[in-house]
Amino acid sequence: MKKILLVAAGSLFLLAMRAQKPARQTDRFTLSGTVKSRSKGETVIGASIRTGTTGTFSNEYGFYSLTLEKGTYTIEYSAIGLQSKSEEVVLDKDIKLNIYLEDEVKNLEGVIVTAQSKGRSISSPQMGVEKLSTKEIKNIPVLLGERDILKTIQLLPGIKSAGEGNSGFYVRGGAGDQNLILLDEAPVYNASHLLGFFSTFNSDAVKDMTVYKGGMPAQYGGRLSSVIDIKMNDGNNQDYNVSGGIGLISTKLNIEGPLQKDRSSFLLTGRRTYADMFLQLSNDSTIKQNKIYFYDLNAKLNYQLSDKDRLYLSGYFGKDVLGVGKTFSIDWGNGTGTLRWNHIFNRKLFSNTSLIFSNYKYNISIESGGDDFDIFSQIQDWNLKQEFQWYADSRNNVRFGFNTIYHTITPGEVRAYESRSVNSTALQKRYSWENAAFFTNTWKASNKINLTYGIRFSSFSILGKGDYYSLDSEGKVIDTFSYARGQFVKTYANLEPRLAASYVFNSNTSVKAAYVRNVQNLHLVSNSTSANPTDKWIANTNIIKPEISDQVSVGYYQDMFDKKLELSVETYYKTMQNQIDYRDGADIFANSDAIESQLLFGKGRAYGIEWLLKKKSGKLTGWLAYTLSKTEKKIIGINNDRWYNARQDRTHEVAVVGSYQLNSKWTVSANWVFYTGDAVTFPAGKYRINDRTVFYYTERNGYRMPDYHRLDLGATWLLKQKKRFSSELTFSLYNAYGRENAYTINFRDNEDDPNKTEAVRYALFKFIPSVTYNFKF
């Protein structure tokens, strides 16, 4: 396999050199600049810049570059939610042209109509990608009225909810920890509030979100299944704005404005729930001492140093607190920070340099009978990333660069204060150094054929200080190896080739194919069936190897009815190496540094087909999504060494999403979801020991939870729409027909006849109404 990868890497390099052979410079010139929003001054991500069949897109910072033959051209600039704009350009020299696009407009009847770009790029070789803006998710009804981008993407094909009300998700058969979630390039290790019922992302702070389900470009790495790339708003550099919302469970506030008009801006967004405040109304003093709330804060500064240099500083901090009186409390939260410098070397070469910090931690405090102690865990990263984007010519767009990450994992510490039976202990901290270099080129080979090819070289070094182990076949430690601080324990190196191609039949129809290899060096271990703040992140060790996936996908794409409807059909097959599962009866939270003793390793496979029919313009917008899929594992020591269903396996998944603008004041919306019940392990029988019933289990994940379905309804009432002030009320009804979907099923003896077994089904939600008041001035 290594020889094959080396040959592939060499072939890609030769192709790149051939593709980038320059044309004569005397008759080719470059049009470049930045695309911005007129009203806010923010750069526009993914704006389309086209003339005829030739074009490009603005990058993550609004920069574009287009090289053409000498001549006169009509250049059309367009972006979702903004009005298109045409410019006539006489290209007889290199030209810098910054473009400002106007916001959405109203028609004669006063009904808001979103000015769309001419749709997705049929010709782009990129597969398995979805882009969503906050405008697109604005009217989708969700739990308790909180607009939630992570819950919205769960309505897309190939992306499965981790459970009722949960913001966790699975992508194309991958586990929940196999998704790389980035906020302004910083990894977010736990993207959930309130045990998964809300995501950490306040939609008021989000500018753009791109989801890669397969064929992700080589600049991304570190996870097997997907990349969720979220960009924060830059802040308005034209005028000051204040907006916010008051709901049944939370309040949020957003403040933005210029520090220096046209050159710099700030953004400050905060959100807090206040369920804990209602507890204070109770007459019960014990209830008054309980705590349940979360808050988050987003902040961003950006400054244009010169025409070629821009500086960004952004950060996020969020925290959850749950407490029962004075006896028990748990708090957890994320903190991220990103310092970025954009530099334009010339009309064709763009640079982004980022220094990134990420921190996730939780703390459990227990006070019981004179035993006062805390349990603490943390994962912390320092990351330097350098990326260049070279617009070689009108047919080649090259990205290359590197990133280096230093990981520090604190798996667990017990800090005893006043305790008679608990001693202060600490599991060993784990240190590691992750590096990657990447190259990718998007090449327009002809008017019909487009290619994206690239390579990512990744290495992961395990560092001391610490002890590492050798195990026997039963998982018992037979030898221990000690390493000094900074000493290299082991290094894993992998090549990750990427290849995608599209063939364009006409302006409305294309087929695409892609292959991608991904490597994952950090792993999440949990005994629960849903995301939990106390789940443990662990890194590779001398025993735990990098997870590796190889995915092949093929797709068909068609725009219909003058691009008013978009049809996508994608099928994929993915194999996975070094998959992790637990030994029967494992206790991963035992006070032991050798967590490998509780784990087993094997392989996995996932395959399926995804359908998406989407309408993005007009009074009625929405989509219909359907996924048919299968996910399995085969691990020696589990299920008699046979293939078995992965926890996230579901056969069918359907989502119907719709929004209709009744008039200039009212918009109504609805979504309906259905999916096959999760794979689950139920007891196969029972026996009694000392008058106590013990259930025994045979096949891993050999049963199914009941099928799940739910209808949500929503409505938005625009109260006022003035130049300086606007307000609205949003109403939603979660689970409108009150289906009691099974959250868990527990087994117990029948009270009247212990020989009989009862399956007790618990539901989490029935009808959940909500109302939120939003304002902006």
Side-chain angles (χ1 to χ4, degrees):
M1 177 59 74
K2 290 185 177 179
K3 291 182 179 179
I4 294 174
L5 293 176
L6 290 172
V7 171
S11 300
L12 292 175
F13 179 77
L14 292 175
L15 279 172
M17 295 302 100
R18 183 178 178 184
Q20 294 152 18
K21 184 178 179 179
R24 291 187 302 159
Q25 298 299 314
T26 55
D27 54 3
R28 295 179 68 83
F29 300 98
T30 300
L31 174 68
S32 63
T34 302
V35 183
K36 298 182 179 180
S37 162
R38 172 71 70 182
S39 63
K40 300 184 70 174
E42 287 194 335
T43 57
V44 179
I45 299 173
S48 173
I49 301 96
R50 303 199 67 81
T51 177
T53 59
T54 303
T56 188
F57 295 93
S58 60
N59 69 6
E60 298 89 330
Y61 303 95
F63 179 77
Y64 74 94
S65 177
L66 185 61
T67 300
L68 300 166
E69 300 284 344
K70 179 180 179 180
T72 300
Y73 297 91
T74 299
I75 310 294
E76 183 177 0
Y77 299 83
S78 59
I80 294 176
L82 299 170
Q83 296 185 54
S84 298
K85 183 176 184 178
S86 296
E87 291 283 344
E88 187 170 296
V89 176
V90 179
L91 201 61
D92 55 5
K93 60 181 179 181
D94 292 337
I95 294 176
K96 178 182 178 182
L97 182 60
N98 294 331
I99 294 295
Y100 291 85
L101 299 180
E102 302 288 347
D103 283 348
E104 58 192 11
V105 295
K106 292 184 179 181
N107 65 12
L108 295 177
E109 298 178 356
V111 177
I112 296 176
V113 179
T114 301
Q116 301 288 336
S117 67
K118 290 193 173 182
R120 61 185 174 179
S121 174
I122 285 289
S123 61
S124 170
Q126 183 65 58
M127 285 190 65
V129 62
E130 300 287 349
K131 292 183 71 70
L132 288 174
S133 68
T134 53
K135 293 181 181 179
E136 291 180 275
I137 70 172
K138 180 177 183 290
N139 296 313
I140 296 176
V142 292
L143 179 65
L144 291 170
E146 281 289 320
R147 294 168 185 165
D148 195 319
I149 57 177
L150 291 191
K151 283 194 170 61
T152 300
I153 67 172
Q154 295 170 17
L155 300 171
L156 296 170
I159 304 176
K160 303 178 180 182
S161 164
E164 175 83 270
N166 202 311
S167 61
F169 55 95
Y170 311 122
V171 178
R172 290 189 172 177
D177 67 320
Q178 294 175 357
N179 306 305
L180 177 63
I181 302 176
L182 300 173
L183 179 63
D184 273 0
E185 300 187 75
V188 178
Y189 284 99
N190 187 320
S192 298
H193 281 309
L194 289 184
L195 301 175
F197 295 119
F198 301 93
S199 82
T200 59
F201 304 112
N202 185 343
S203 61
D204 287 351
V206 174
K207 175 181 181 180
D208 178 86
M209 178 176 66
T210 304
V211 182
Y212 297 93
K213 299 181 293 183
M216 55 279 292
Q219 63 264 30
Y220 298 108
R223 301 293 187 276
L224 293 194
S225 295
S226 74
V227 177
I228 315 296
D229 192 355
I230 301 169
K231 305 294 185 186
M232 285 172 53
N233 286 321
D234 297 333
N236 193 326
N237 67 15
Q238 300 297 304
D239 200 1
Y240 294 96
N241 284 308
V242 177
S243 60
I246 302 172
L248 295 180
I249 192 172
S250 67
T251 294
K252 55 187 177 181
L253 187 66
N254 178 75
I255 305 172
E256 59 181 333
L259 297 172
Q260 184 180 359
K261 192 171 182 179
D262 293 324
R263 296 189 64 86
S264 60
S265 64
F266 73 92
L267 171 76
L268 187 63
T269 301
R271 177 176 58 162
R272 192 193 191 279
T273 58
Y274 34 72
D276 57 314
M277 297 180 184
F278 294 112
L279 299 178
Q280 301 302 312
L281 302 177
S282 173
N283 294 324
D284 190 324
S285 60
T286 302
I287 293 178
K288 285 185 177 182
Q289 294 176 357
N290 294 341
K291 295 175 286 186
I292 175 171
Y293 66 89
F294 74 78
Y295 63 86
D296 46 42
L297 178 69
N298 297 79
K300 192 168 185 176
L301 298 172
N302 81 87
Y303 189 80
Q304 186 172 333
L305 302 173
S306 67
D307 290 342
K308 293 186 176 183
D309 297 278
R310 182 180 288 270
L311 199 64
Y312 298 85
L313 177 62
S314 59
Y316 166 82
F317 180 75
K319 187 176 182 180
D320 286 69
V321 177
L322 296 176
V324 180
K326 294 183 178 181
T327 60
F328 173 84
S329 69
I330 176 173
D331 61 82
W332 69 94
N334 296 277
T336 70
T338 307
L339 176 64
R340 285 172 292 171
W341 169 44
N342 290 172
H343 178 68
I344 302 173
F345 284 94
N346 54 49
R347 64 190 184 278
K348 292 187 176 185
L349 186 59
F350 179 91
S351 166
N352 178 58
T353 307
S354 301
L355 178 62
I356 305 159
F357 172 77
S358 180
N359 182 63
Y360 171 69
K361 61 183 179 181
Y362 70 80
N363 188 79
I364 301 173
S365 296
I366 297 175
E367 298 180 17
S368 177
D371 290 332
D372 299 346
F373 61 93
D374 291 347
I375 302 172
F376 174 80
S377 183
Q378 182 181 47
I379 178 170
Q380 186 179 99
D381 293 346
W382 285 99
N383 182 357
L384 174 64
K385 183 177 181 180
Q386 174 61 57
E387 182 176 347
F388 297 96
Q389 191 167 0
W390 176 36
Y391 299 83
D393 53 42
S394 59
R395 293 183 176 271
N396 291 275
N397 185 344
V398 180
R399 284 179 182 251
F400 59 96
F402 69 89
N403 71 292
T404 179
I405 310 173
Y406 186 80
H407 302 285
T408 302
I409 299 177
T410 304
E413 294 180 2
V414 177
R415 302 168 177 172
Y417 301 106
E418 297 180 4
S419 176
R420 295 187 297 267
S421 59
V422 178
N423 296 319
S424 295
T425 59
L427 300 180
Q428 299 177 82
K429 287 188 177 183
R430 295 302 193 188
Y431 306 94
S432 52
W433 185 25
E434 188 169 7
N435 293 282
F438 56 86
F439 165 88
T440 187
N441 180 35
T442 299
W443 174 33
K444 184 177 175 63
S446 70
N447 290 334
K448 295 287 187 180
I449 300 174
N450 297 274
L451 295 172
T452 295
Y453 54 88
I455 194 80
R456 181 181 180 90
F457 173 77
S458 61
S459 69
F460 189 90
S461 298
I462 306 161
L463 305 176
K465 175 181 178 182
D467 295 333
Y468 290 85
Y469 309 97
S470 177
L471 308 178
D472 63 15
S473 60
E474 301 298 321
K476 297 179 181 178
V477 176
I478 58 176
D479 206 351
T480 300
F481 311 97
S482 297
Y483 294 85
R485 184 173 183 85
Q487 187 176 359
F488 282 76
V489 179
K490 188 177 180 64
T491 296
Y492 295 97
N494 287 281
L495 285 174
E496 304 173 43
R498 317 285 170 94
L499 178 63
S502 67
Y503 181 84
V504 181
F505 291 99
N506 52 52
S507 60
N508 294 320
T509 309
S510 69
V511 293
K512 303 180 185 181
Y515 163 75
V516 60
R517 165 167 283 203
N518 286 313
V519 175
Q520 180 164 335
N521 297 295
L522 299 177
H523 323 278
L524 190 66
V525 293
S526 168
N527 272 343
S528 63
T529 58
S530 60
N532 190 301
T534 58
D535 293 345
K536 283 186 178 182
W537 282 96
I538 58 175
N540 295 338
T541 66
N542 58 317
I543 296 173
I544 300 174
K545 298 179 181 179
E547 299 177 70
I548 300 174
S549 73
D550 293 276
Q551 179 175 284
V552 177
S553 51
V554 179
Y556 173 81
Y557 309 85
Q558 184 176 0
D559 291 342
M560 301 177 289
F561 303 106
D562 194 27
K563 299 187 181 296
K564 292 179 181 178
L565 285 179
E566 298 177 355
L567 173 66
S568 304
V569 184
E570 294 188 4
T571 184
Y572 65 91
Y573 188 91
K574 178 164 61 175
T575 61
M576 294 168 279
Q577 305 174 42
N578 304 325
Q579 295 300 282
I580 301 173
D581 213 330
Y582 313 113
R583 293 179 181 271
D584 292 334
D587 182 5
I588 63 171
F589 296 104
N591 186 21
S592 171
D593 285 311
I595 193 172
E596 299 94 329
S597 65
Q598 306 296 311
L599 306 176
L600 293 172
F601 309 94
K603 60 184 179 180
R605 64 188 180 192
Y607 47 93
I609 185 168
E610 304 164 0
W611 300 73
L612 179 63
L613 183 64
K614 195 170 189 179
K615 188 175 186 293
K616 298 177 67 175
S617 61
K619 290 185 177 182
L620 176 64
T621 59
W623 64 82
L624 169 64
Y626 170 64
T627 304
L628 174 66
S629 62
K630 186 68 179 175
T631 307
E632 299 173 296
K633 289 183 177 181
K634 186 177 183 180
I635 295 179
I636 302 301
I638 297 177
N639 203 44
N640 295 321
D641 303 340
R642 299 175 306 192
W643 287 99
Y644 63 95
N645 295 324
R647 174 69 180 84
Q648 60 271 23
D649 177 62
R650 290 183 192 148
T651 307
H652 304 284
E653 188 131 9
V654 180
V656 182
V657 180
S659 176
Y660 186 78
Q661 185 122 24
L662 293 172
N663 51 48
S664 60
K665 294 289 187 180
W666 281 94
T667 301
V668 294
S669 57
N671 57 259
W672 181 79
V673 296
F674 168 89
Y675 56 78
T676 305
D678 292 337
V680 66
T681 303
F682 286 149
K686 66 179 182 181
Y687 54 91
R688 295 183 68 82
I689 299 178
N690 298 327
D691 293 327
R692 184 173 64 91
T693 297
V694 178
F695 291 99
Y696 69 87
Y697 300 82
T698 54
E699 186 176 1
R700 180 79 61 98
N701 295 337
Y703 297 85
R704 291 278 176 187
M705 293 286 284
D707 292 345
Y708 178 101
H709 54 88
R710 186 191 78 245
L711 173 68
D712 305 329
L713 301 175
T716 301
W717 178 20
L718 183 63
L719 300 175
K720 287 187 179 181
Q721 181 69 62
K722 302 291 184 181
K723 184 176 181 180
R724 300 298 303 177
F725 178 79
S726 64
S727 62
E728 66 182 20
L729 281 173
T730 62
F731 307 90
S732 68
L733 180 59
Y734 184 87
N735 197 11
Y737 51 74
R739 176 175 168 81
E740 295 184 343
N741 290 294
Y743 186 66
T744 62
I745 296 179
N746 294 334
F747 292 82
R748 68 185 184 191
D749 292 336
N750 183 282
E751 291 183 359
D752 298 325
D753 186 356
N755 293 320
K756 294 182 180 180
T757 302
E758 295 178 336
V760 183
R761 172 171 163 170
Y762 296 92
L764 193 60
F765 299 120
K766 201 170 183 181
F767 306 100
I768 306 291
S770 66
V771 60
T772 303
Y773 173 73
N774 297 311
F775 61 88
K776 184 177 182 179
F777 60 86

